[in-house]
Amino acid sequence: MRRVSAAGAAHAGQVAVPEPVPLKGRALRERIEALESVARQLEPGRPERDRLRSPVIAHSESFYEGLDDALTYRVTDDKGAGLLEIPIAEEGIGIEKALRIVGEHVDRAGLNPAAGGHLAYVPGGGLFASSLGDYLADVGNHYAGVFFATPGAVRMENLLVRWMARLVGYPEGALGTLSSGGSIANLTAIVTARDAMEVGGRRVHRSPVYLTQQVHHCVTKALRLAGLAEAPLRRVPMDERFRMRPDELARMIAADRAAGLRPWLVVASSGTTDTGAIDPVDEIAEVAEAAGVWLHVDAAYGGFFLLTGIGRSKIRGLECSDSVVMDPHKGLFLPYGTGALLVRQGELLARSQWYEANYLQDALDSTEEVSPADLSPELTRHFRGLRMWLPLVLHGVAPFRAALEEKIQLCRYFYEELSGIPGMQRGPYPELSVALYRYVPRAGDANEFNARLIREVRRDGRVFLSSTTIDGTFWLRLAVLCFRTHRRHVDLALQVLREKIAEIEG
Ligand SMILES: *Cc1c(COP(=O)(O)O)cnc(C)c1O
């Protein structure tokens, strides 16, 4: 722990000032007037708003226009460090200069997740309609935490939660919230499970958790954050396609029971980040049910594929889980900052997030709609509903279904085309929109070759790919999920791979 002493504060530029004598009467009124005249700069009038808004629109339009040819990854010399030379000063700098700074130091350096050639990790989106929703949400600054404050905003979020709950197949009584992302949603799910299963104190080290090696790292981190670091982690063996084996799960739970432990949580994935593997949730649910264990499903990546026929044929059994996480900023193409948690027995979520606050006594009177603040760790929060609701009602669901199936088909197309590249080794047939592959060189170490290949692809920048290591084998990944990714980008990825392989082999 470092505490800043008075001397330290002075060093940091905060010189201690004696408290001034309070002003009174006329002097007080004059001071208030003087302050108001400066403070009013924070509230531009109509002409000034137009003058500020139009360069912002022009900036975003030039961003859109450049997207088609934009590099998906760009290494700039200073990696945006020029930003540090622009002080937060007493005087403002004007919108043109501010936008130039954003253009130069933020828009250009690093990864461009808005580009269709972003085929790495789990790509994001950034729907235009969401940006309009965010604009309106920010202008109104509606308070979306409590029903009493902005009933419409809360209804909007809750109807989106119910829409997702129906997609998953949850019954009436399910509740959930929009979170900032999948990690926080997973953390909230684990806290809910912990409280529902009464895991705490001296029980923790005797309460094992079951998951596979492929579970997202935010789940094990969440266990730690939830005070459950001592809960034994049981890595359930997987089949050859990286899916949890329900028979092994049943065997491990039985062994732990026999040893006097208290199994309480299974975490399955509907679409792992690494390989897109879909755990057999329907079979896992039977094991969990028989064992009286909470079943949480991390569907942050895969959940919205339920909007497609292919997805529904593959993602089975979510309705039997106790909680599910989905990421609208992945499969619904929203801008970053939107995850979702759904809990089948909603009252267990509410019970876990229970609080008392005297100063909110007027606000806690709603019986019509549950308030997000009662279901999540957040009290004051961004009105996330509008950025999700607006695109869904503006476009309808059909284009989302089409885009999601297009991503699956593009991944299959890539997988098929890979067989035309001599030396290419393919991983398992893609479950959703992630494919694994690696090049086996004529001579030398394959892992080293592929590590170099991925570096060269990045340096090239036309497409952005990522890699993973599974059991010591270095694999390249293709992950298709950006709504802007179309066949052209996948063809480009194939072409870049061909070129770079030839160069390195050359
Ligand atoms: C992305 C992802 C997460 C983490 O979600 P964030 O929104 O990045 O916090 C968790 N699980 C899976 C399977 C993911 O793909």
PDB file of all heavy atoms in Angstrom, residues 32 73 115 142 148 169 186 190 205 275 285 304 318 332 340 393 455 467 475 499 505:
ATOM      1  N   ILE A  32     -21.142  33.701  -7.920  1.00  0.00           N
ATOM      2  CA  ILE A  32     -21.958  32.690  -8.605  1.00  0.00           C
ATOM      3  C   ILE A  32     -22.152  33.071 -10.072  1.00  0.00           C
ATOM      4  O   ILE A  32     -22.029  32.238 -10.970  1.00  0.00           O
ATOM      5  CB  ILE A  32     -23.323  32.520  -7.892  1.00  0.00           C
ATOM      6  CG1 ILE A  32     -23.114  31.835  -6.533  1.00  0.00           C
ATOM      7  CG2 ILE A  32     -24.294  31.701  -8.752  1.00  0.00           C
ATOM      8  CD1 ILE A  32     -24.354  31.770  -5.666  1.00  0.00           C
ATOM      9  N   TYR A  73      -4.757  -4.283 -39.286  1.00  0.00           N
ATOM     10  CA  TYR A  73      -3.785  -4.121 -38.211  1.00  0.00           C
ATOM     11  C   TYR A  73      -2.676  -3.221 -38.726  1.00  0.00           C
ATOM     12  O   TYR A  73      -2.151  -3.433 -39.807  1.00  0.00           O
ATOM     13  CB  TYR A  73      -3.211  -5.466 -37.779  1.00  0.00           C
ATOM     14  CG  TYR A  73      -2.400  -5.350 -36.515  1.00  0.00           C
ATOM     15  CD1 TYR A  73      -3.042  -5.141 -35.303  1.00  0.00           C
ATOM     16  CD2 TYR A  73      -1.019  -5.419 -36.547  1.00  0.00           C
ATOM     17  CE1 TYR A  73      -2.315  -5.004 -34.129  1.00  0.00           C
ATOM     18  CE2 TYR A  73      -0.288  -5.282 -35.373  1.00  0.00           C
ATOM     19  CZ  TYR A  73      -0.942  -5.082 -34.178  1.00  0.00           C
ATOM     20  OH  TYR A  73      -0.220  -4.942 -33.021  1.00  0.00           O
ATOM     21  N   ALA A 115     -13.218  -3.498 -39.082  1.00  0.00           N
ATOM     22  CA  ALA A 115     -12.969  -3.914 -40.461  1.00  0.00           C
ATOM     23  C   ALA A 115     -13.375  -5.368 -40.704  1.00  0.00           C
ATOM     24  O   ALA A 115     -13.241  -6.219 -39.826  1.00  0.00           O
ATOM     25  CB  ALA A 115     -11.483  -3.730 -40.788  1.00  0.00           C
ATOM     26  N   HIS A 142     -30.717   8.938 -19.618  1.00  0.00           N
ATOM     27  CA  HIS A 142     -31.765   8.277 -18.843  1.00  0.00           C
ATOM     28  C   HIS A 142     -31.140   7.368 -17.802  1.00  0.00           C
ATOM     29  O   HIS A 142     -30.152   6.689 -18.069  1.00  0.00           O
ATOM     30  CB  HIS A 142     -32.665   7.446 -19.774  1.00  0.00           C
ATOM     31  CG  HIS A 142     -33.313   8.282 -20.826  1.00  0.00           C
ATOM     32  ND1 HIS A 142     -34.178   9.306 -20.535  1.00  0.00           N
ATOM     33  CD2 HIS A 142     -33.200   8.257 -22.179  1.00  0.00           C
ATOM     34  CE1 HIS A 142     -34.577   9.870 -21.654  1.00  0.00           C
ATOM     35  NE2 HIS A 142     -33.994   9.262 -22.677  1.00  0.00           N
ATOM     36  N   PHE A 148     -38.379   3.140 -11.259  1.00  0.00           N
ATOM     37  CA  PHE A 148     -38.964   4.408 -10.847  1.00  0.00           C
ATOM     38  C   PHE A 148     -38.363   5.593 -11.620  1.00  0.00           C
ATOM     39  O   PHE A 148     -39.056   6.528 -11.985  1.00  0.00           O
ATOM     40  CB  PHE A 148     -38.727   4.536  -9.335  1.00  0.00           C
ATOM     41  CG  PHE A 148     -38.813   5.916  -8.781  1.00  0.00           C
ATOM     42  CD1 PHE A 148     -40.041   6.451  -8.420  1.00  0.00           C
ATOM     43  CD2 PHE A 148     -37.667   6.675  -8.591  1.00  0.00           C
ATOM     44  CE1 PHE A 148     -40.117   7.731  -7.882  1.00  0.00           C
ATOM     45  CE2 PHE A 148     -37.735   7.947  -8.055  1.00  0.00           C
ATOM     46  CZ  PHE A 148     -38.961   8.480  -7.697  1.00  0.00           C
ATOM     47  N   GLY A 169     -34.690 -20.502 -24.430  1.00  0.00           N
ATOM     48  CA  GLY A 169     -35.695 -21.499 -24.069  1.00  0.00           C
ATOM     49  C   GLY A 169     -36.015 -21.524 -22.584  1.00  0.00           C
ATOM     50  O   GLY A 169     -36.575 -22.492 -22.078  1.00  0.00           O
ATOM     51  N   ASN A 186     -20.319 -13.347 -16.566  1.00  0.00           N
ATOM     52  CA  ASN A 186     -19.891 -14.632 -15.999  1.00  0.00           C
ATOM     53  C   ASN A 186     -19.626 -14.511 -14.495  1.00  0.00           C
ATOM     54  O   ASN A 186     -19.971 -15.404 -13.724  1.00  0.00           O
ATOM     55  CB  ASN A 186     -18.629 -15.145 -16.714  1.00  0.00           C
ATOM     56  CG  ASN A 186     -18.958 -15.934 -17.978  1.00  0.00           C
ATOM     57  OD1 ASN A 186     -19.791 -16.846 -17.944  1.00  0.00           O
ATOM     58  ND2 ASN A 186     -18.332 -15.599 -19.087  1.00  0.00           N
ATOM     59  N   ILE A 190     -21.520 -16.586 -11.539  1.00  0.00           N
ATOM     60  CA  ILE A 190     -20.821 -17.443 -10.571  1.00  0.00           C
ATOM     61  C   ILE A 190     -21.164 -17.033  -9.140  1.00  0.00           C
ATOM     62  O   ILE A 190     -21.355 -17.879  -8.264  1.00  0.00           O
ATOM     63  CB  ILE A 190     -19.311 -17.439 -10.876  1.00  0.00           C
ATOM     64  CG1 ILE A 190     -19.099 -18.445 -12.015  1.00  0.00           C
ATOM     65  CG2 ILE A 190     -18.474 -17.798  -9.654  1.00  0.00           C
ATOM     66  CD1 ILE A 190     -17.790 -18.363 -12.703  1.00  0.00           C
ATOM     67  N   HIS A 205     -13.124 -24.954   0.146  1.00  0.00           N
ATOM     68  CA  HIS A 205     -12.065 -25.865  -0.313  1.00  0.00           C
ATOM     69  C   HIS A 205     -12.568 -27.298  -0.488  1.00  0.00           C
ATOM     70  O   HIS A 205     -11.861 -28.153  -1.012  1.00  0.00           O
ATOM     71  CB  HIS A 205     -10.856 -25.810   0.628  1.00  0.00           C
ATOM     72  CG  HIS A 205     -11.079 -26.485   1.939  1.00  0.00           C
ATOM     73  ND1 HIS A 205     -11.757 -25.884   2.980  1.00  0.00           N
ATOM     74  CD2 HIS A 205     -10.724 -27.713   2.379  1.00  0.00           C
ATOM     75  CE1 HIS A 205     -11.814 -26.723   3.990  1.00  0.00           C
ATOM     76  NE2 HIS A 205     -11.202 -27.841   3.660  1.00  0.00           N
ATOM     77  N   THR A 275     -11.699 -22.712 -30.113  1.00  0.00           N
ATOM     78  CA  THR A 275     -11.974 -23.611 -31.230  1.00  0.00           C
ATOM     79  C   THR A 275     -13.435 -23.601 -31.661  1.00  0.00           C
ATOM     80  O   THR A 275     -13.798 -24.276 -32.617  1.00  0.00           O
ATOM     81  CB  THR A 275     -11.624 -25.074 -30.858  1.00  0.00           C
ATOM     82  OG1 THR A 275     -12.602 -25.531 -29.900  1.00  0.00           O
ATOM     83  CG2 THR A 275     -10.249 -25.180 -30.233  1.00  0.00           C
ATOM     84  N   ALA A 285     -26.464 -31.417 -18.771  1.00  0.00           N
ATOM     85  CA  ALA A 285     -27.573 -31.000 -17.898  1.00  0.00           C
ATOM     86  C   ALA A 285     -28.148 -32.201 -17.149  1.00  0.00           C
ATOM     87  O   ALA A 285     -28.524 -32.091 -15.980  1.00  0.00           O
ATOM     88  CB  ALA A 285     -28.658 -30.306 -18.712  1.00  0.00           C
ATOM     89  N   PHE A 304     -25.765 -16.291 -29.791  1.00  0.00           N
ATOM     90  CA  PHE A 304     -26.687 -15.712 -30.783  1.00  0.00           C
ATOM     91  C   PHE A 304     -26.800 -16.543 -32.052  1.00  0.00           C
ATOM     92  O   PHE A 304     -27.683 -16.297 -32.883  1.00  0.00           O
ATOM     93  CB  PHE A 304     -26.328 -14.256 -31.084  1.00  0.00           C
ATOM     94  CG  PHE A 304     -26.755 -13.343 -29.967  1.00  0.00           C
ATOM     95  CD1 PHE A 304     -25.824 -12.834 -29.080  1.00  0.00           C
ATOM     96  CD2 PHE A 304     -28.096 -13.052 -29.767  1.00  0.00           C
ATOM     97  CE1 PHE A 304     -26.226 -12.030 -28.028  1.00  0.00           C
ATOM     98  CE2 PHE A 304     -28.516 -12.250 -28.716  1.00  0.00           C
ATOM     99  CZ  PHE A 304     -27.572 -11.734 -27.843  1.00  0.00           C
ATOM    100  N   LEU A 318     -29.633 -25.596 -23.757  1.00  0.00           N
ATOM    101  CA  LEU A 318     -29.439 -24.386 -22.945  1.00  0.00           C
ATOM    102  C   LEU A 318     -30.603 -24.158 -22.000  1.00  0.00           C
ATOM    103  O   LEU A 318     -30.431 -23.633 -20.900  1.00  0.00           O
ATOM    104  CB  LEU A 318     -29.280 -23.139 -23.836  1.00  0.00           C
ATOM    105  CG  LEU A 318     -27.977 -22.937 -24.594  1.00  0.00           C
ATOM    106  CD1 LEU A 318     -27.769 -21.477 -24.935  1.00  0.00           C
ATOM    107  CD2 LEU A 318     -26.797 -23.476 -23.832  1.00  0.00           C
ATOM    108  N   LEU A 332     -24.272 -10.252 -31.779  1.00  0.00           N
ATOM    109  CA  LEU A 332     -25.319  -9.354 -32.266  1.00  0.00           C
ATOM    110  C   LEU A 332     -24.694  -8.100 -32.882  1.00  0.00           C
ATOM    111  O   LEU A 332     -25.386  -7.148 -33.208  1.00  0.00           O
ATOM    112  CB  LEU A 332     -26.280  -8.991 -31.133  1.00  0.00           C
ATOM    113  CG  LEU A 332     -27.763  -8.956 -31.436  1.00  0.00           C
ATOM    114  CD1 LEU A 332     -28.253 -10.179 -32.187  1.00  0.00           C
ATOM    115  CD2 LEU A 332     -28.564  -8.766 -30.161  1.00  0.00           C
ATOM    116  N   ALA A 340     -24.580 -10.020 -21.594  1.00  0.00           N
ATOM    117  CA  ALA A 340     -25.883 -10.311 -20.992  1.00  0.00           C
ATOM    118  C   ALA A 340     -25.801 -11.562 -20.133  1.00  0.00           C
ATOM    119  O   ALA A 340     -25.134 -12.535 -20.492  1.00  0.00           O
ATOM    120  CB  ALA A 340     -26.944 -10.495 -22.073  1.00  0.00           C
ATOM    121  N   VAL A 393     -35.080  -3.293 -33.836  1.00  0.00           N
ATOM    122  CA  VAL A 393     -36.376  -2.853 -34.377  1.00  0.00           C
ATOM    123  C   VAL A 393     -36.213  -2.150 -35.716  1.00  0.00           C
ATOM    124  O   VAL A 393     -37.099  -2.208 -36.567  1.00  0.00           O
ATOM    125  CB  VAL A 393     -37.171  -1.945 -33.393  1.00  0.00           C
ATOM    126  CG1 VAL A 393     -37.544  -2.713 -32.137  1.00  0.00           C
ATOM    127  CG2 VAL A 393     -36.412  -0.681 -33.062  1.00  0.00           C
ATOM    128  N   ARG A 455       3.053 -13.845 -37.748  1.00  0.00           N
ATOM    129  CA  ARG A 455       3.718 -12.528 -37.663  1.00  0.00           C
ATOM    130  C   ARG A 455       3.717 -11.836 -39.012  1.00  0.00           C
ATOM    131  O   ARG A 455       3.455 -10.641 -39.114  1.00  0.00           O
ATOM    132  CB  ARG A 455       5.155 -12.695 -37.163  1.00  0.00           C
ATOM    133  CG  ARG A 455       5.301 -12.810 -35.654  1.00  0.00           C
ATOM    134  CD  ARG A 455       6.730 -12.483 -35.208  1.00  0.00           C
ATOM    135  NE  ARG A 455       7.742 -13.305 -35.859  1.00  0.00           N
ATOM    136  CZ  ARG A 455       8.108 -14.520 -35.447  1.00  0.00           C
ATOM    137  NH1 ARG A 455       7.536 -15.060 -34.387  1.00  0.00           N
ATOM    138  NH2 ARG A 455       9.043 -15.201 -36.090  1.00  0.00           N
ATOM    139  N   SER A 467      -3.825 -16.939 -33.284  1.00  0.00           N
ATOM    140  CA  SER A 467      -3.336 -18.306 -33.144  1.00  0.00           C
ATOM    141  C   SER A 467      -3.649 -18.806 -31.745  1.00  0.00           C
ATOM    142  O   SER A 467      -4.056 -18.041 -30.877  1.00  0.00           O
ATOM    143  CB  SER A 467      -1.818 -18.336 -33.366  1.00  0.00           C
ATOM    144  OG  SER A 467      -1.185 -17.627 -32.330  1.00  0.00           O
ATOM    145  N   TRP A 475      -1.578 -23.668 -33.447  1.00  0.00           N
ATOM    146  CA  TRP A 475      -2.609 -23.624 -34.495  1.00  0.00           C
ATOM    147  C   TRP A 475      -2.907 -22.188 -34.883  1.00  0.00           C
ATOM    148  O   TRP A 475      -2.870 -21.296 -34.039  1.00  0.00           O
ATOM    149  CB  TRP A 475      -3.925 -24.238 -33.991  1.00  0.00           C
ATOM    150  CG  TRP A 475      -3.891 -25.709 -33.775  1.00  0.00           C
ATOM    151  CD1 TRP A 475      -3.621 -26.360 -32.601  1.00  0.00           C
ATOM    152  CD2 TRP A 475      -4.155 -26.733 -34.744  1.00  0.00           C
ATOM    153  NE1 TRP A 475      -3.700 -27.721 -32.785  1.00  0.00           N
ATOM    154  CE2 TRP A 475      -4.023 -27.975 -34.087  1.00  0.00           C
ATOM    155  CE3 TRP A 475      -4.500 -26.712 -36.109  1.00  0.00           C
ATOM    156  CZ2 TRP A 475      -4.222 -29.186 -34.739  1.00  0.00           C
ATOM    157  CZ3 TRP A 475      -4.689 -27.914 -36.760  1.00  0.00           C
ATOM    158  CH2 TRP A 475      -4.547 -29.144 -36.083  1.00  0.00           C
ATOM    159  N   GLU A 499       0.352 -16.392 -50.127  1.00  0.00           N
ATOM    160  CA  GLU A 499       1.518 -15.551 -50.422  1.00  0.00           C
ATOM    161  C   GLU A 499       2.587 -15.685 -49.345  1.00  0.00           C
ATOM    162  O   GLU A 499       3.771 -15.833 -49.648  1.00  0.00           O
ATOM    163  CB  GLU A 499       1.099 -14.075 -50.506  1.00  0.00           C
ATOM    164  CG  GLU A 499       0.323 -13.723 -51.770  1.00  0.00           C
ATOM    165  CD  GLU A 499      -0.195 -12.281 -51.729  1.00  0.00           C
ATOM    166  OE1 GLU A 499       0.329 -11.458 -50.936  1.00  0.00           O
ATOM    167  OE2 GLU A 499      -1.131 -11.994 -52.485  1.00  0.00           O
ATOM    168  N   GLU A 505       8.572 -20.207 -47.303  1.00  0.00           N
ATOM    169  CA  GLU A 505       9.140 -21.447 -47.855  1.00  0.00           C
ATOM    170  C   GLU A 505      10.204 -21.125 -48.901  1.00  0.00           C
ATOM    171  O   GLU A 505      11.202 -21.838 -49.016  1.00  0.00           O
ATOM    172  CB  GLU A 505       8.038 -22.314 -48.497  1.00  0.00           C
ATOM    173  CG  GLU A 505       7.189 -23.107 -47.513  1.00  0.00           C
ATOM    174  CD  GLU A 505       7.865 -24.378 -47.017  1.00  0.00           C
ATOM    175  OE1 GLU A 505       9.110 -24.419 -46.964  1.00  0.00           O
ATOM    176  OE2 GLU A 505       7.148 -25.336 -46.677  1.00  0.00           O
TER     177      GLU A 505
END
